[in-house]
Amino acid sequence: MVNWWQTLGNAFWVLDRALGGQRRPARIQKWVARHPIGAALYVAVPFTLFCLLLFSEGEPNNFLFGVLFGVIMGLVFGLTAVAERLRQRRLKRLGIWDGS
């Protein structure tokens, strides 16, 4: 089982390298990695408000759906920000980037 996870991890890093994952992060990527909760909120709040405006007012469940979609979008962007933070930590560990 351990060998399977190691193979999967190695395949992920090969794909990451092929897609440019070992380049220095851009300014927005640094900010997102430093503030994952803020990045998630910056996406979730407007998306929630948009969903609340988009759904009709006749149904009582529309408020729940709007908030649920906003929370899901916030989770997706928050987890993406955490993954970016881990990528930047790996770049520092490999000596590719000095953290500035």
Side-chain angles (χ1 to χ4, degrees), residues 2-22:
V2 174
N3 192 17
W4 186 80
W5 281 108
Q6 186 176 12
T7 304
L8 186 63
N10 290 340
F12 172 77
W13 291 119
V14 167
L15 178 66
D16 182 60
R17 197 175 314 115
L19 295 175
Q22 289 190 342

Side-chain angles (χ1 to χ4, degrees), residues 25-43:
R27 190 170 141 191
I28 188 69
Q29 288 174 311
K30 291 180 205 175
W31 186 88
V32 166
R34 290 181 183 138
H35 308 285
I37 295 174
L41 287 175
Y42 280 145
V43 173

